[in-house]
Amino acid sequence: MIGKKQFNAEAIAKRTLFLFAITGALILFLIVVFIFKEGLPIFNQINPVDFMLGGEWSPSKDVYGALPFIAATILITAGALMIAVPLGISCSVFLAEIAPKWARELVRPAIELLAGIPSIVYGLFALVVIVNTIEVSFDVPTGESILAGSLILAIMILPIIISISQDSIEAVPRAYKEGSYAMGATDTQTITRIVIPTATPGIVAGIILGMGRAIGETMAVVLVLGNVEKIPTNLLDQGEALTSVILLEMGEAAVGSPHYNALFALSMILFMIVFSLSSISNHIIAKRGLRPG
Amino acid sequence: MSMEKIIVRELNLWYGEKQALEDVNMQIRENRVTALIGPSGCGKSTFIRCLNRMNDRIEGVRITGKVEIDGKNIYDKDVDVVALRKRIGMLFQKPNPFPMSIYDNVAYGPRIHGTGDKKKLREIVEDGIRGAALWDEVSDRLETNALDLSGGQQQRLCIARTLAVKPEIILFDEPCSALDPIATGKIEELIHDLKREYTIVIVTHNMQQAARVSDYTGYFLLGEMIEFGKTKKLFENPHKKETEDYITGRFG
Amino acid sequence: MITANTADRLLKILLWASAFAIILVLFSIMGYVFLMGAGVMNLEFIFTTAKNNWKEGGIITAIEGTLIVVSIAVLFAAPIGIGAAIYLAEFTREGKTTKIIRLAADSLNAIPSIVFGLFGLTLFIHYLKDYTGGASLLSAGLTLSFMILPTIMRTSEVSIRTVPLQEKMGSYALGATKLQTVKNIVIPGALPGIFTGIILSLGRAAGETAPIVFMTALNPITPSSIFRGGNALTTTLYYLTSEGISINRAFGIALTLILIVLTLNYSARFVNNYLTRNQRR
């Protein structure tokens, strides 16, 4: 009655599914190998420090300095965070703590929708509306600027910051808040002294993830920065982001040429920044048992 | 006098470092109801799950000793666990019908074990549902979702599902703990009828239930089986002090 | 002096204002796109081929291209993602391997879309040109499938894990094998969630531009084979905008894209509710 083991089918299925499961890791590995393989050769003709800190980028002269792009990316990202962080935190406090049901049911889908709008549509909107508004209000020859990039990126990273912060705020134990209220604290005191400090690691994870998105964003940024290869010094200056250079110049770079290698080297930089940021925030999120973004 | 269907020898079980069963020996007779009682955490549920190797699925579990069914140790290396579970049905604390129709629930077992013939399947399903004393209540709505049934009906449906696989032994792990007294009465009646064809082991936290339905009772405490014997004798004249304390309510 | 009461009131006003600001931003973007897009939107715009460098005619080639590319992406990513999710949830225990698999998926999810574009360019256009046809709809679809794989993996795993343990135990207790339990109990139970995940990633794939910008053509091409080139809505929108060909028509495409994304989001919700209600778990 009790026969021999016959788990062959299960073993085969398990092995097949394992192959599926490691496909993601395999793709990641291939991506790393490819961009490093194509990017590293540029350092045969220029040392990494000069590449990162060089102020001039002229493929026709075989000069590759990435500083203008790095600077522009840092500036638009910083600008975006300055707008999105306060707005995002206060919106997530609103959703998690004080919003009546109807308001939550209005705001949540709105945020989901913001997250779903394709980046190229944001770019188009920014080019037509934000750039023109800047042009008119600051009376400058063109509104294509760091400011325009920051504004549209801020809108684009709000959903990710809000959703992770909100989870984190909702995870603050009720007992903490009740303890605070029981001692006669006001709403303001409870929110600023108990809720936000307790939720800080999660909020930080959301901000870091948003930062990664901003640095890697391509389509919205390329349409509004003006794409001028110089180091921007103020908010109304034009500039060109790391992602933009890759997008704009890859088509014209001959395969295997130094220009081609230099563009891959830019994507190496991009990859390393974004990979570190995502590792940090995923580490925080996993540690606190929050839902990943 | 009936035969021994299951013989448990020196059974030990550890969850990681923690020992949950210690040197359990037991003889379970064919076509009888054997009840296992004891305070919660005493190991009775862990024990019953050893009888169909349900504990295999839990991480960090280590088992020594033997469980012989018809003389064959089910922990031997050459045992097919799936075939084993076909011979030993199991009912759980909470009724767990699948989210499908009543018919499909009962047909699930025969189908996975290769019964393709529609007419044959229908017979097995009907026999199963009749065997679980549920036929009169559901015969006109076999295609409705099983989750529409009441808790007691769901539990009897799970029994029907088990019968459809034609097991030899049925394990009940506190089958009435989620049910009201009337539904409980029906299940107990059913268990009484089922023992004519099946060997039954039931874990219960309810001593009256053990007294009502079983022929033999084992009393567990802290992973050890303190006493085992005919139900009547164990309840009226226990050997051990611990058993007496538990039965008279001075414990737990 | 600011009393505690005034501070509370100020804070509340601030919080309400921030939520209001976000709604306002959403409405102005959507409103603007609808308004501008409606100006060019008509049957001809949707159903005919573009003429005169996209300045006349319609965008049917881009719609077809996007549909094909997105279908290829899902056709590849869905089986792999669902299989991976089944492996993670049912066939293994948490350990080093699962940690690596999850880390890889999270990292893949964070990689900028332009890097996927570069990767697709090297792999499919340079190395595998003979198999993919170079800059073809197939190359674009495969590149997008890499991007949506992590999402499908995660949403599938989450919904597989919601299948109650008792149901699985019930199946095992009847002598079902693991494969039978996965096929008959786990997958049907997880299906609503898996579907929702797939539909949402369809929307995401349809909205991506940077990964496929090197693989789609600028001039209108009626798709004839997946091994040939074609257009996509997003890349056409980018072309029309960056070259200043027609901002109005770009808004027409933007509206089409938003309608697609909206439809997918709502049908995901609908499908999820419908399937879940039928299961009444």
Side-chain angles (χ1 to χ4, degrees):
Chain A
M1 222 15 224
I2 303 179
K4 280 263 175 201
K5 271 191 174 188
Q6 36 146 319
F7 281 157
N8 276 336
E10 186 177 326
I12 293 169
K14 182 169 176 173
R15 216 161 281 174
T16 316
L17 292 174
F18 175 72
L19 288 181
F20 286 178
I22 58 165
T23 307
L26 193 73
I27 294 169
L28 182 71
F29 176 75
L30 280 179
I31 291 178
V32 174
V33 169
F34 273 49
I35 58 177
F36 279 74
K37 182 175 159 287
E38 305 285 351
L40 286 174
I42 192 67
F43 300 130
N44 292 334
Q45 69 181 76
I46 178 167
N47 79 54
V49 179
D50 290 342
F51 182 77
M52 302 269 285
L53 299 182
E56 192 190 349
W57 178 275
S58 331
S60 53
K61 288 189 272 173
D62 236 10
V63 174
Y64 304 100
L67 190 60
F69 314 131
I70 294 175
T73 291
I74 290 175
L75 278 178
I76 50 171
T77 304
L81 288 174
M82 276 195 287
I83 302 161
V85 168
L87 194 56
I89 294 178
S90 93
C91 189
S92 47
V93 172
F94 173 79
L95 286 171
E97 295 290 321
I98 72 160
K101 197 161 170 266
W102 65 265
R104 219 172 319 169
E105 279 169 8
L106 188 74
V107 178
R108 267 209 192 122
I111 290 166
E112 275 171 38
L113 215 52
L114 272 182
I117 295 177
S119 55
I120 184 75
V121 175
Y122 276 114
L124 177 63
F125 174 81
L127 175 66
V128 175
V129 178
I130 297 181
V131 167
N132 280 337
T133 311
I134 292 175
E135 225 166 279
V136 174
S137 21
F138 295 96
D139 193 23
V140 283
T142 170
E144 292 178 340
S145 58
I146 298 293
L147 179 61
S150 297
L151 280 170
I152 196 64
L153 280 182
I155 297 172
M156 294 178 73
I157 63 174
L158 266 173
I160 179 97
I161 294 182
I162 293 174
S163 78
I164 294 181
S165 306
Q166 190 193 338
D167 282 355
S168 176
I169 291 170
E170 279 172 356
V172 173
R174 179 192 287 267
Y176 292 9
K177 289 184 254 173
E178 282 172 352
S180 168
Y181 286 123
M183 286 185 291
T186 61
D187 281 349
T188 314
Q189 289 161 335
T190 307
I191 288 172
T192 54
R193 292 175 197 206
I194 303 292
V195 176
I196 294 180
T198 316
T200 296
I203 296 174
V204 170
I207 294 171
I208 296 175
L209 224 51
M211 194 162 144
R213 285 280 152 89
I215 292 172
E217 175 50 41
T218 315
M219 301 319 293
V221 169
V222 75
L223 290 175
V224 300
L225 282 193
N227 303 322
V228 172
E229 291 144 18
K230 61 161 194 164
I231 299 173
T233 48
N234 80 58
L235 280 179
L236 293 173
D237 269 359
Q238 293 181 292
E240 184 166 0
L242 279 169
T243 51
S244 309
V245 200
I246 302 172
L247 179 74
L248 294 172
E249 297 185 7
M250 191 41 100
E252 65 204 39
V255 179
S257 67
H259 187 195
Y260 180 87
N261 296 141
L263 292 173
F264 271 91
L266 292 182
S267 79
M268 272 166 50
I269 299 175
L270 209 52
F271 175 85
M272 287 189 288
I273 298 173
V274 171
F275 182 80
S276 339
L277 290 176
S278 112
S279 305
I280 296 168
S281 75
N282 283 326
H283 179 72
I284 300 174
I285 289 171
K287 223 164 119 190
R288 300 186 38 101
L290 297 172
R291 157 175 70 100
Chain B
M1 194 64 211
S2 66
M3 303 271 298
E4 280 117 19
K5 182 75 178 169
I6 309 174
I7 300 176
V8 179
R9 298 182 202 272
E10 299 288 317
L11 188 71
N12 287 280
L13 182 145
W14 290 265
Y15 290 118
E17 294 297 302
K18 196 175 155 282
Q19 184 157 17
L21 290 175
E22 215 178 317
D23 287 341
V24 178
N25 289 286
M26 193 186 294
Q27 302 185 349
I28 295 170
R29 286 170 192 280
E30 195 163 16
N31 298 109
R32 293 288 182 275
V33 178
T34 303
L36 308 174
I37 59 170
S40 46
C42 68
K44 56 191 194 295
S45 281
T46 303
F47 175 76
I48 200 174
R49 284 157 168 267
C50 289
L51 302 182
N52 67 343
R53 294 187 55 175
M54 263 332 223
N55 288 326
D56 286 18
R57 310 210 71 84
I58 303 169
E59 209 161 331
V61 165
R62 196 159 57 81
I63 296 170
T64 65
K66 285 182 176 176
V67 175
E68 295 172 2
I69 296 183
D70 294 337
K72 168 79 180 159
N73 181 13
I74 62 169
Y75 283 94
D76 278 351
K77 278 208 158 55
D78 63 351
V79 169
D80 177 351
V81 179
V82 167
L84 174 75
R85 296 214 185 98
K86 225 173 107 179
R87 296 176 63 198
I88 310 174
M90 182 166 200
L91 275 296
F92 299 85
Q93 283 190 23
K94 246 183 80 193
N96 58 346
F98 304 131
M100 355 169 145
S101 72
I102 294 172
Y103 185 90
D104 286 340
N105 259 280
V106 184
Y108 182 86
R111 274 185 185 139
I112 59 174
H113 295 125
T115 306
D117 181 44
K118 283 247 164 67
K119 209 171 134 243
K120 184 106 195 294
L121 201 59
R122 197 146 193 108
E123 271 170 33
I124 297 176
V125 171
E126 185 174 336
D127 287 351
I129 299 179
R130 281 189 193 283
L134 190 62
W135 182 254
D136 296 341
E137 291 159 65
V138 302
S139 60
D140 55 341
R141 48 175 177 140
L142 293 177
E143 295 311 319
T144 57
N145 196 302
L147 301 180
D148 288 343
L149 297 174
S150 72
Q153 288 173 325
Q154 289 189 4
Q155 193 61 298
R156 277 180 287 146
L157 178 68
C158 292
I159 295 176
R161 197 171 72 182
T162 304
L163 298 182
V165 183
K166 303 200 189 307
E168 299 158 33
I169 301 164
I170 304 179
L171 311 174
F172 289 86
D173 187 1
E174 304 202 17
C176 302
S177 60
L179 303 181
D180 61 58
I182 294 173
T184 302
K186 282 187 182 161
I187 304 268
E188 287 179 7
E189 224 172 277
L190 184 57
I191 290 175
H192 192 78
D193 293 341
L194 289 173
K195 76 173 178 183
R196 255 175 289 154
E197 285 180 60
Y198 306 93
T199 304
I200 291 171
V201 183
I202 175 171
V203 162
T204 174
H205 60 269
N206 176 338
M207 273 180 289
Q208 286 74 33
Q209 184 169 63
R212 283 193 301 265
V213 302
S214 71
D215 304 299
Y216 294 87
T217 299
Y219 171 59
F220 278 77
L221 183 64
L222 298 172
E224 284 185 78
M225 193 173 70
I226 303 295
E227 187 167 352
F228 184 80
K230 287 218 158 129
T231 300
K232 199 161 165 350
K233 184 162 174 302
L234 188 125
F235 275 91
E236 284 170 10
N237 187 14
H239 272 303
K240 298 271 174 70
K241 174 100 175 29
E242 293 98 321
T243 318
E244 192 181 344
D245 285 351
Y246 181 67
I247 288 166
T248 52
R250 253 176 286 165
F251 186 99
Chain C
M1 196 190 115
I2 301 177
T3 65
N5 232 330
T6 344
D8 265 12
R9 200 162 302 158
L10 275 175
L11 179 75
K12 267 181 199 157
I13 291 173
L14 195 74
L15 297 179
W16 276 93
S18 67
F20 184 73
I22 284 169
I23 300 277
L24 195 71
V25 166
L26 176 75
F27 272 76
S28 45
I29 295 176
M30 298 290 267
Y32 199 83
V33 171
F34 270 86
L35 223 64
M36 296 287 287
V40 293
M41 186 62 75
N42 56 35
L43 287 178
E44 192 202 350
F45 185 72
I46 297 291
F47 290 109
T48 63
T49 306
K51 283 175 290 199
N52 191 11
N53 196 18
W54 299 94
K55 286 191 200 95
E56 288 164 43
I59 57 167
I60 186 67
T61 57
I63 294 177
E64 289 166 348
T66 288
L67 289 181
I68 294 169
V69 165
V70 166
S71 312
I72 293 172
V74 167
L75 241 45
F76 272 85
I80 295 175
I82 297 169
I86 294 173
Y87 179 81
L88 287 176
E90 296 289 330
F91 280 83
T92 187
R93 296 184 166 154
E94 293 303 312
K96 255 211 176 87
T97 322
T98 57
K99 225 179 216 166
I100 293 171
I101 293 171
R102 281 176 219 284
L103 176 74
D106 285 340
S107 310
L108 211 54
N109 203 26
I111 290 181
S113 50
I114 185 74
V115 175
F116 277 99
L118 277 192
F119 174 62
L121 177 75
T122 353
L123 182 64
F124 296 127
I125 300 186
H126 296 156
Y127 286 88
L128 301 177
K129 192 178 170 81
D130 296 342
Y131 305 97
T132 59
S136 64
L137 292 169
L138 180 63
S139 302
L142 290 176
T143 308
L144 285 181
S145 77
F146 297 163
M147 287 199 73
I148 59 175
L149 180 63
T151 314
I152 295 185
M153 243 171 103
R154 184 186 303 143
T155 49
S156 303
E157 190 188 342
V158 168
S159 39
I160 287 171
R161 288 193 187 275
T162 59
V163 175
L165 184 65
Q166 300 108 298
E167 280 175 20
K168 290 191 259 175
M169 294 293 250
S171 175
Y172 287 128
L174 292 174
T177 61
K178 180 163 232 162
L179 290 180
Q180 286 168 331
T181 305
V182 167
K183 177 171 155 273
N184 296 315
I185 303 296
V186 176
I187 295 182
L191 216 51
I194 294 178
F195 257 131
T196 313
I198 290 178
I199 295 175
L200 289 176
S201 30
L202 270 173
R204 182 166 168 217
E208 284 294 346
T209 317
I212 58 173
V213 80
F214 304 123
M215 299 166 190
T216 44
L218 300 181
N219 52 315
I221 296 178
T222 305
S224 54
S225 150
I226 58 167
F227 299 103
R228 298 254 177 86
N231 308 121
L233 286 166
T234 49
T235 50
T236 306
L237 167 47
Y238 173 59
Y239 175 59
L240 295 188
T241 311
S242 61
E243 303 293 318
I245 292 167
S246 167
I247 293 292
N248 286 335
R249 301 192 137 239
F251 271 106
I253 300 179
L255 178 56
T256 314
L257 272 171
I258 284 191
L259 288 177
I260 291 175
V261 171
L262 278 179
T263 314
L264 287 173
N265 279 3
Y266 280 96
S267 55
R269 206 165 298 178
F270 176 77
V271 166
N272 193 12
N273 289 345
Y274 178 79
L275 290 176
T276 316
R277 193 159 352 103
N278 270 14
Q279 285 195 336
R280 274 167 298 182
R281 194 180 295 289

